[in-house]
Amino acid sequence: QPVEATDNAFWDQFWADTATSVQDVFALVPAAEIRAVREESPSNLATLCYKAVEKLVQGAESGCHTEKERQIVLNCCRLLTRILPYIFEDPDWRGFFWSTVPGAGRGGGDEDDENARPLAESLLLAVTDLLFCPDFTVQSHRRSTVDTAEDIHSIDSCEYIWEAGVGFAHSPQPNYIHDLNRTELLKLLLTCFSEAMYLPPCSDSSNTNPWVQFFCSTENRHALPLFTSLLNVVCAYDPVGYGIPYNHLLFSDYREPLVEEAAQVLIVTLDYDSSTSSSPTVDGTTTGTAMDDVDPPGPDNLFVNYLSRIHREEDFQFILKGVARLLSNPLVQTYLPNSAKKIQFHQELLVLFWKLCDFNKKFLFFVLKSSDVLDILVPILYFLNDARADQSRVGLMHIGVFILLLLSGERNFGVRLNKPYSVRVPMDIPVFTGTHADLLIIVFHKIITSGHQRLQPLFDCLLTIVVNVSPYLKSLSMVAANKLLHLLEAFSTTWFLFSAVQNHHLVFFLLEVFNNIIQYQFDGNSNLVYAVIRKRNVFHQLANLPTDSQSIQKGLQRKKKTPEPISRTNSQDGVSMEGSRPAAPAEPGTLKTSLVATPGIDKLTEKSQVSEDGTMRSLEPEASQLSPEGNPPAALSDGEPWSGEASHSWRDRRRLSSASSSGQWTPTPDWVMSWKSKLPLQTIMRLLQVLVPQVEKICIDKGLTDESEILKFLQHGTLVGLLPVPHPILIRKYQANSGTAMWFRTYMWGVIYLRNVDPPIWYDTDVKLFEIQRV
């Protein structure tokens, strides 16, 4: 039965109840009922939404001075959080909030433009006003009676920023009621933005989310203080609880849910494809731009704009310290179990860190300026190592690798890796003594040799990172050197090289690593030189790789005897670190969300050449046709279409199954010749030619079987004048592209979907951006 909009007694019962929580609302309003109303009495659902928004607008207008008003606002907030996903899942309803409700103008005034505000805009503006509502979500600055209550439209919300940090020095008194109210309002905001979950992934990432677009526009007068509040609340949060172990067991933490919600709202508002737009400018303008500006300074999205314009050193320091503290939180756990509160929102933090580096180049340079970058690196390596066997955490693996790829494009990152690693976080990796570079190589080796199949598309990225840092690595440990040679051994088996069209690229990457170290860092790397000499047969086999059809077929047959793609036996793993747990696969039944495919490494990166003075210049794409990796002609290299459709998303690019299954492609002698002739083996062959006879002579003369003597000889040896002319250093820098923008969107919403279980805002609704799968 349609109920009249004027029947206030009927509608008021939905929000008048005092003692409700968001969980109660979810229990009292079941999904089936919402859908039934949507189908059978649409006018009632429309009225309910419109009335609930009206109550929020009234609350924002009045400033919520009474307990009753606050209760009504919170209940409307919960009700809308419950209903919105069911509006979004039905394409016919999706436009509803963007339509205007007749006669629903602000107080029925005469101004037509005010009357014509769509429901969505009224809702968003009311929520932003409520987020800076004295005595409801912020501390009131006036200590007096209700008569002189602050008029919500006259307050300057910049004085009410929630936490000290970027652009705000004053840290307000913590108030858990305000935290709870903010959290509920942010939950509603996040739900408004979640319309994106109900649209399928598309390659054209230009379709902006209208909710986010309006929220981050100049229409939102609180955009700046809200951006700053969200960022500061996240970066200032310290889960350890004032440094007292086990403190979190005594006091419940009202801040954490707020921090999680703030982090999620922040990354969603920053969902912006920087590859399609001019990158945000770093000029000093402070005003938002008019929407119709022909060439706006930076994006229309004010949040992206503000983020890109942060520039004070102390602001950067505050953000970096905060993110590093929170990312390291799970590592702290391992010393005193349960002593500190364990946070769960590291994935949101990684997305936030990525956005900071991607949109604000000054921040990226600041991060790399000191060894503080290692406080980000170590937690990322910890997560990568920990998640490598877990199918449900493929997304986490990708974002960790993307961040390292982005950092590795800068020379400073390679230089910083030379710092000795002494932290000793218990990790399931062999014990070693060495630098952060050793840690990185050992973890990458572990991922490649003992991660699950779905990580194959990341191998290119992992090795690109190692190539990018290799010219700067002063001294690899024996453990790391052996790992690199073990990878070369595994990737240069004839079976692996012939079984997929791009497998040989991995060998090229590894040879490039060895060449960079030998040419630019020979002096400190006797361990690597020794490992190369010991495994010299691998290089000789590569140089003499057979190219005739019969040998190719024989190489492919070998796979049938050795099912394991990469042998784990001869990598001398040694003992794992004390206190570490092996990386575990996902518990059966764990939910995960699907991801779109990521672009290939050639789309992800662009080549830059480092010149003598250390500056980089971008290489023209034409040059890449002559690339040393010996890419086959275009028709071949696209052996697999790289579309962003979900159906292709997990077709492994690098099929480890027999060649026939990856389409029509089969290896031919011409194809093998096309890249074998380009293998960059000259430097290594020359090194072996010079050093092997000398090492053998020492062994014969002194009857040596002891490596330390040989290492001592190699340490003092030199190849000056004996090696070919050093090649220029090539760095493959990450470049923004719409493929990764779409990947980030699906990953981010997948994380948010799975993390919001209490209440389960989106569960069992018809989400289109990804599929929900059980492991």
Side-chain angles (χ1 to χ4, degrees):
Q1 241 23 64
V3 180
E4 284 302 312
T6 49
D7 182 355
N8 284 335
F10 174 78
W11 297 111
D12 283 348
Q13 64 187 0
F14 285 97
W15 31 80
D17 197 6
T18 48
T20 53
S21 67
V22 66
Q23 286 77 9
D24 297 338
V25 172
F26 271 66
L28 291 169
V29 186
E33 248 174 70
I34 304 173
R35 288 195 177 110
V37 174
R38 188 181 69 196
E39 307 310 324
E40 288 145 33
S41 42
S43 69
N44 283 356
L45 183 60
T47 308
L48 182 64
C49 290
Y50 150 61
K51 284 288 203 187
V53 172
E54 188 180 51
K55 285 287 171 204
L56 289 180
V57 172
Q58 286 168 3
E61 293 279 321
S62 73
C64 282
H65 294 304
T66 66
E67 195 44 52
K68 183 170 182 239
E69 280 178 287
R70 289 174 200 159
Q71 205 50 59
I72 288 174
V73 162
L74 289 173
N75 283 340
C76 289
C77 193
R78 294 160 185 158
L79 192 65
L80 286 166
T81 302
R82 179 62 169 143
I83 292 171
L84 274 165
Y86 298 91
I87 300 273
F88 294 150
E89 73 174 358
D90 184 335
D92 298 337
W93 274 85
R94 227 168 272 148
F96 169 70
F97 270 84
W98 293 97
S99 57
T100 51
V101 180
R106 296 260 174 100
D110 295 333
E111 310 129 75
D112 286 347
D113 57 342
E114 274 295 322
N115 287 343
R117 210 183 253 304
L119 204 53
E121 295 186 4
S122 305
L123 170 56
L124 290 172
L125 292 173
V127 172
T128 54
D129 275 343
L130 288 164
L131 285 168
F132 293 100
C133 183
D135 290 328
F136 179 53
T137 49
V138 291
Q139 215 69 52
S140 173
H141 289 185
R142 301 210 181 144
R143 282 281 145 259
S144 58
T145 55
V146 178
D147 315 335
T148 57
E150 288 153 289
D151 174 19
I152 195 147
H153 290 289
S154 67
I155 73 169
D156 174 7
S157 45
C158 285
E159 294 172 11
Y160 289 89
I161 289 170
W162 301 347
E163 187 56 74
V166 176
F168 195 65
H170 165 68
S171 186
Q173 200 50 43
N175 179 319
Y176 78 96
I177 302 282
H178 294 175
D179 278 359
L180 293 173
N181 294 342
R182 291 165 179 173
T183 305
E184 299 233 29
L185 287 161
L186 291 179
K187 219 181 261 307
L188 172 56
L189 266 184
L190 199 57
T191 310
C192 291
F193 298 157
S194 71
E195 184 180 341
M197 282 196 215
Y198 298 90
L199 304 170
C202 62
S203 51
D204 170 32
S205 55
S206 61
N207 58 346
T208 42
N209 180 332
W211 295 84
V212 172
Q213 194 177 12
F214 179 79
F215 181 78
C216 298
S217 73
T218 46
E219 295 268 356
N220 175 1
R221 72 187 184 96
H222 302 296
L224 181 60
L226 201 51
F227 168 76
T228 325
S229 294
L230 296 172
L231 184 62
N232 291 353
V233 156
V234 172
C235 295
Y237 177 57
D238 183 2
V240 176
Y242 315 105
I244 307 166
Y246 301 99
N247 199 10
H248 68 107
L249 301 175
L250 307 178
F251 304 101
S252 68
D253 179 356
Y254 295 99
R255 202 19 81 108
E256 191 188 18
L258 174 64
V259 175
E260 286 202 5
E261 217 64 53
Q264 291 177 2
V265 168
L266 203 49
I267 60 178
V268 170
T269 53
L270 296 169
D271 175 19
Y272 179 81
D273 181 358
S274 57
S275 66
T276 55
S277 61
S278 55
S279 63
T281 56
V282 192
D283 59 358
T285 53
T286 47
T287 51
T289 59
M291 290 305 213
D292 52 8
D293 212 319
V294 194
D295 188 22
D300 295 333
N301 178 324
L302 291 180
F303 277 42
V304 174
N305 209 331
Y306 297 145
L307 186 79
S308 68
R309 292 215 305 253
I310 298 172
H311 61 275
R312 287 172 37 212
E313 294 259 313
E314 55 268 42
D315 289 343
F316 286 156
Q317 188 61 36
F318 165 74
I319 294 171
L320 181 58
K321 278 273 181 272
V323 174
R325 178 189 332 112
L326 292 169
L327 285 178
S328 313
N329 166 271
L331 287 60
V332 176
Q333 300 301 321
T334 45
Y335 302 121
L336 277 177
N338 305 322
S339 62
K341 192 178 174 71
K342 190 164 184 178
I343 60 158
Q344 301 296 334
F345 55 97
H346 47 273
Q347 299 193 84
E348 292 92 321
L349 286 164
L350 290 171
V351 175
L352 178 61
F353 183 76
W354 168 269
K355 298 281 181 197
L356 280 156
C357 293
D358 195 20
F359 295 153
N360 191 323
K361 287 297 167 256
K362 286 185 175 173
F363 177 75
L364 176 62
F365 299 140
F366 177 84
V367 170
L368 293 165
K369 203 171 67 173
S370 72
S371 49
D372 288 350
V373 64
L374 303 175
D375 298 336
I376 300 285
L377 170 76
V378 172
I380 289 178
L381 291 175
Y382 173 84
F383 292 131
L384 290 178
N385 188 54
D386 189 52
R388 66 177 193 268
D390 184 340
Q391 295 256 356
S392 69
R393 292 199 282 170
V394 175
L396 171 63
M397 297 292 295
H398 275 74
I399 185 164
V401 172
F402 281 158
I403 289 174
L404 298 184
L405 179 64
L406 180 71
L407 295 173
S408 74
E410 307 298 332
R411 172 182 179 274
N412 263 355
F413 182 65
V415 174
R416 299 283 161 233
L417 290 178
N418 290 309
K419 186 172 177 185
Y421 175 66
S422 52
V423 196
R424 296 288 164 261
V425 174
M427 283 163 86
D428 169 29
I429 52 171
V431 179
F432 71 98
T433 304
T435 64
H436 284 76
D438 295 310
L439 177 68
L440 177 124
I441 288 167
I442 291 166
V443 169
F444 283 10
H445 173 270
K446 204 74 163 154
I447 294 168
I448 292 171
T449 55
S450 64
H452 56 77
Q453 287 275 340
R454 292 242 167 123
L455 300 178
Q456 298 236 330
L458 281 177
F459 289 3
D460 279 344
C461 266
L462 291 168
L463 292 188
T464 298
I465 294 165
V466 180
V467 174
N468 282 349
V469 301
S470 59
Y472 311 109
L473 304 183
K474 291 198 162 42
S475 154
L476 287 183
S477 68
M478 193 56 98
V479 177
N482 285 333
K483 297 301 179 204
L484 287 175
L485 279 140
H486 177 241
L487 288 179
L488 183 71
E489 229 176 332
F491 289 148
S492 58
T493 59
T494 47
W495 164 71
F496 185 76
L497 284 173
F498 297 157
S499 62
V501 74
Q502 340 54 350
N503 282 1
H504 64 277
H505 290 185
L506 298 173
V507 168
F508 276 87
F509 285 141
L510 285 163
L511 290 175
E512 208 176 322
V513 170
F514 297 136
N515 288 338
N516 281 342
I517 294 179
I518 292 166
Q519 287 281 18
Y520 291 99
Q521 299 289 350
F522 179 81
D523 286 351
N525 274 297
S526 50
N527 288 332
L528 184 75
V529 175
Y530 178 64
V532 167
I533 292 174
R534 273 190 46 216
K535 293 282 185 187
R536 55 192 179 275
N537 62 327
V538 179
F539 300 98
H540 291 302
Q541 278 165 8
L542 267 176
N544 301 318
L545 191 72
T547 55
D548 57 293
S549 305
Q550 209 178 347
S551 305
I552 292 175
Q553 282 317 308
K554 211 156 95 193
L556 289 170
Q557 295 309 308
R558 273 202 202 139
K559 154 73 167 133
K560 303 203 166 86
K561 301 185 196 106
T562 53
E564 199 55 51
I566 293 172
S567 70
R568 296 169 194 188
T569 44
N570 60 354
S571 74
Q572 307 107 10
D573 241 13
V575 192
S576 272
M577 292 173 70
E578 205 180 333
S580 65
R581 289 196 312 266
E587 293 285 317
T590 308
L591 288 181
K592 65 188 182 84
T593 54
S594 63
L595 293 160
V596 294
T598 50
I601 193 74
D602 46 335
K603 298 269 190 311
L604 262 183
T605 55
E606 61 178 359
K607 292 197 179 108
S608 300
Q609 194 169 315
V610 181
S611 41
E612 301 285 310
D613 60 354
T615 54
M616 287 196 200
R617 60 183 183 81
S618 183
L619 292 181
E620 293 307 309
E622 289 86 73
S624 68
Q625 314 244 277
L626 314 165
S627 79
E629 282 133 62
N631 291 324
L636 278 177
S637 64
D638 296 328
E640 180 113 358
W642 260 91
S643 75
E645 292 161 42
S647 58
H648 297 243
S649 57
W650 287 118
R651 278 214 232 150
D652 283 338
R653 270 196 301 161
R654 197 174 276 108
R655 286 280 174 71
L656 275 181
S657 50
S658 66
S660 57
S661 71
S662 56
Q664 300 311 302
W665 179 82
T666 46
T668 63
D670 287 351
W671 171 76
V672 178
M673 278 306 297
S674 75
W675 54 262
K676 179 190 167 181
S677 59
K678 295 184 186 136
L679 283 166
L681 286 165
Q682 306 81 325
T683 302
I684 294 173
M685 288 309 187
R686 184 80 186 115
L687 172 133
L688 293 173
Q689 199 186 348
V690 175
L691 293 178
V692 170
Q694 298 182 348
V695 169
E696 284 176 341
K697 187 172 182 310
I698 295 178
C699 294
I700 293 164
D701 290 356
K702 302 196 176 171
L704 275 182
T705 46
D706 177 22
E707 14 186 278
S708 61
E709 283 289 324
I710 300 169
L711 281 170
K712 203 173 293 174
F713 162 72
L714 291 173
Q715 263 159 14
H716 298 105
T718 173
L719 291 176
V720 173
L722 296 172
L723 291 177
V725 178
H727 54 283
I729 296 174
L730 270 189
I731 302 289
R732 292 170 184 80
K733 288 176 79 105
Y734 167 81
Q735 54 172 354
N737 58 79
S738 43
T740 35
M742 196 63 230
W743 184 89
F744 270 96
R745 182 175 301 169
T746 51
Y747 169 61
M748 167 183 81
W749 279 113
V751 169
I752 291 172
Y753 177 96
L754 292 172
R755 299 261 295 105
N756 282 273
V757 285
D758 184 28
I761 302 182
W762 300 282
Y763 271 39
D764 296 332
T765 59
D766 189 11
V767 172
K768 293 275 194 299
L769 184 61
F770 44 77
E771 292 165 28
I772 292 94
Q773 301 153 344
R774 279 191 190 280
V775 173

